[in-house]
Amino acid sequence: MPNIKVVDMAGKEVGSMDLSDKVFGADVNEAVLHSVVRAHLLNQRQGTQSMLTRTEVTGGGKKPWRQKGNGRARQGSRRAPQFVHGGVVFAAKPRCYRVTLNKKTKRAAMFSALSGKVSEGDMIVVDSIKTDDYSTKTMVSMLKAVGSKKKALVVLDTNDSVTIKSLANIPNVKTVQYNSVNVYDILNCDSFIAARGAVEKIEEVYA
């Protein structure tokens, strides 16, 4: 059973907590992680791109020059792909990029992502992440004190608008609640910083 220290917002160790083997001590399955990240990125695509083929471009009804006798290659339309303002070969058209994965795969990827952060020492548990006033300075000090790296994902256990807004202006910091954290965000951060309450709720949901 993995054990991790718990610090306060000043970076001082205030205790430790045992983590669930199922959630934070699983083997890292890179194939499953790749599948889930690929699906996540594809599902972000709107698929609304639309280009014009040579049959859809305006104009080009008249043959640009006669078929023979001028020394140039024969052409039938000014709107052929090789001409400026011509149509596009194999033009992109609106389509759906959505990929669906089963629940078992998603859960396995979440366990792998969380376990990877613990094994690499990139998970930081803070006893409580909270500020009573809107203060970006307080949150910057907290991140520095707990040893946050360049890109950080901060996971809260409650929808605290004051804390969320205080973190919003800090570059390379993303704030989410425990019930909206995803595999891509976990892998995309250098430091996974979670409130103790958020860790307990994640274990409650998945374990």
Side-chain angles (χ1 to χ4, degrees):
M1 180 178 290
N3 183 277
I4 191 169
K5 68 178 183 180
V6 180
V7 299
D8 59 15
M9 290 181 60
K12 181 180 178 182
E13 186 173 347
V14 294
S16 63
M17 69 181 299
D18 293 325
L19 302 175
S20 168
D21 271 332
K22 181 179 179 181
V23 181
F24 294 97
D27 294 330
V28 177
N29 189 328
E30 293 184 1
V32 170
L33 289 174
H34 176 270
S35 297
V36 172
V37 170
R38 176 178 175 274
H40 175 84
L41 294 175
L42 285 174
N43 292 342
Q44 304 305 306
R45 298 188 67 171
Q46 291 183 322
T48 55
Q49 73 278 35
S50 183
M51 301 176 184
L52 300 180
T53 64
R54 62 180 298 169
T55 62
E56 297 169 319
V57 178
T58 303
K62 181 182 178 182
K63 189 174 176 64
W65 51 77
R66 68 189 187 198
Q67 183 82 346
K68 293 177 179 291
N70 58 12
R72 290 182 287 184
R74 55 193 174 187
Q75 302 294 339
S77 171
R78 283 283 188 184
R79 294 298 176 253
Q82 68 268 26
F83 289 111
V84 176
H85 305 305
V88 179
V89 182
F90 306 125
K93 291 296 180 183
R95 55 164 287 193
C96 178
Y97 290 91
R98 187 158 189 82
V99 174
T100 58
L101 297 172
N102 59 53
K103 185 176 179 180
K104 185 177 180 180
T105 300
K106 293 178 183 178
R107 290 174 69 87
M110 180 63 74
F111 298 157
S112 291
L114 292 172
S115 300
K117 288 300 178 186
V118 174
S119 63
E120 292 170 5
D122 292 331
M123 180 172 174
I124 302 169
V125 180
V126 183
D127 186 45
S128 176
I129 303 175
K130 185 177 179 63
T131 179
D132 296 327
D133 300 318
Y134 294 101
S135 175
T136 300
K137 185 177 180 179
T138 300
M139 292 293 105
V140 170
S141 299
M142 182 272 292
L143 293 172
K144 185 176 181 180
V146 300
S148 174
K149 297 179 183 177
K150 185 176 180 180
K151 294 177 71 174
L153 178 67
V154 180
V155 185
L156 304 177
D157 54 342
T158 59
N159 186 16
D160 184 354
S161 61
V162 176
T163 303
I164 292 171
K165 288 183 178 179
S166 296
L167 286 160
N169 288 332
I170 305 175
N172 299 317
V173 174
K174 183 173 182 178
T175 309
V176 297
Q177 284 183 259
Y178 74 94
N179 56 356
S180 60
V181 67
N182 61 67
V183 173
Y184 178 78
D185 286 340
I186 296 172
L187 295 178
N188 194 40
C189 70
D190 299 316
S191 294
F192 181 77
I193 303 170
R196 182 168 190 160
V199 175
E200 292 171 350
K201 290 181 178 179
I202 289 173
E203 288 185 338
E204 183 180 343
V205 170
Y206 288 102

